[in-house]
Amino acid sequence: MTPPLIHLAEAQKSAPVTDWAARIGWVVGLLVFVVFVYWLMRQGWKWRGTLQGDLPELPSTPEDLGEPQLRLSGRYHGSTTAGQWLDRIVARGLGTRSRAELTLTDQGLDVVRPGAEDFFVPAAALRGARLDKGIAGKVLPEGGLLIVTWRHGDKDIDSGFRSDRAGEHPAWVEAIDRLSTARQGTSETSTTEHGTTEHGTTEHGTTEHGTTEHHTSTTEHTETEGAR
């Protein structure tokens, strides 16, 4: 057989048959793996929520919110235990990322979240604010996050927000720090005055008690002298 005929015979051979069974098996296996990973994530989320079940209900916005000092439109990126940017809090809907509309007044910080649970941070619960780059596994450029620290129940919480205009962040840090410092100073003054009042009342009561005892002792001494 001449070489051209050999090449012609080779060209007429059938193309390799695709092993569809093997390909389908790989696709099904991949889908099962993805579903399994998603299920594990959901179970971890539920488990974390159960551990955080003692977190009290979030405060609701008061009817009289007061005059707005600042407003912000942006995103809510999550909350963690204060100072621990990976210790995510998922209870009470705090683990759901969403759009957010923030309003700061003398009463506190109002957080409106379309599609998620709104919450309110009273001014007395604010502990300060700072600029950071990461929270709850979300990492942004340095200073790209506005972190608000607040007290809820017996836990200090960091909540992360990013404005649509990041240049607004420094003004929010300054305003929240100023409000939290003023509120804490008022609270400490009130506590000091209350303690001073109680101390004065105690001393007054002790003085009256001592005067009464002295008067009784004098009377008894006079009666004894008269009997003699």
Side-chain angles (χ1 to χ4, degrees):
M1 184 178 294
T2 61
L5 294 178
I6 294 175
H7 292 313
L8 180 62
E10 290 178 350
Q12 291 179 348
K13 289 182 180 179
S14 59
V17 177
T18 302
D19 190 352
W20 288 105
R23 290 197 175 188
I24 292 174
W26 274 104
V27 171
V28 171
L30 180 61
L31 289 176
V32 169
F33 176 75
V34 170
V35 171
F36 178 68
V37 171
Y38 178 77
W39 178 82
L40 286 178
M41 292 173 61
R42 292 290 298 176
Q43 291 301 113
W45 188 281
K46 291 180 180 179
W47 175 73
R48 184 176 289 270
T50 300
L51 291 180
Q52 298 169 355
D54 58 343
L55 192 71
E57 291 285 347
L58 299 177
S60 56
T61 305
E63 294 183 2
D64 183 15
L65 188 58
E67 188 69 21
Q69 297 181 17
L70 290 172
R71 293 184 185 275
L72 179 153
S73 295
R75 292 197 63 83
Y76 167 77
H77 286 287
S79 294
T80 66
T81 301
Q84 303 179 36
W85 76 288
L86 290 177
D87 187 15
R88 189 170 188 172
I89 296 176
V90 302
R92 309 303 180 189
L94 290 176
T96 305
R97 290 183 174 134
S98 65
R99 290 287 302 173
E101 301 288 333
L102 276 61
T103 303
L104 183 68
T105 73
D106 288 338
Q107 297 297 319
L109 177 65
D110 185 38
V111 183
V112 177
R113 301 193 295 157
E117 186 175 354
D118 303 338
F119 63 93
F120 178 76
V121 182
L126 289 170
R127 294 294 182 266
R130 70 181 188 276
L131 299 182
D132 213 325
K133 64 179 180 179
I135 191 167
K138 181 69 174 181
V139 180
L140 293 170
E142 187 69 40
L145 279 172
L146 169 65
I147 307 296
V148 179
T149 304
W150 52 292
R151 183 80 174 175
H152 185 50
D154 60 353
K155 182 184 289 290
D156 285 337
I157 298 174
D158 281 345
S159 293
F161 304 91
R162 179 171 174 81
S163 173
D164 292 336
R165 296 178 293 276
E168 298 176 337
H169 290 173
W172 275 82
V173 171
E174 182 180 347
I176 290 175
D177 283 345
R178 184 171 59 247
L179 180 59
S180 64
T181 301
R183 285 288 181 163
Q184 289 178 15
T186 302
S187 177
E188 289 175 359
T189 301
S190 177
T191 303
T192 302
E193 289 178 350
H194 180 68
T196 302
T197 302
E198 288 187 343
H199 181 66
T201 303
T202 303
E203 286 186 345
H204 179 67
T206 303
T207 303
E208 288 185 343
H209 180 67
T211 303
T212 303
E213 287 185 345
H214 177 70
H215 179 71
T216 303
S217 176
T218 303
T219 304
E220 290 178 350
H221 178 70
T222 303
E223 290 179 350
T224 303
E225 291 291 334
R228 289 180 178 177

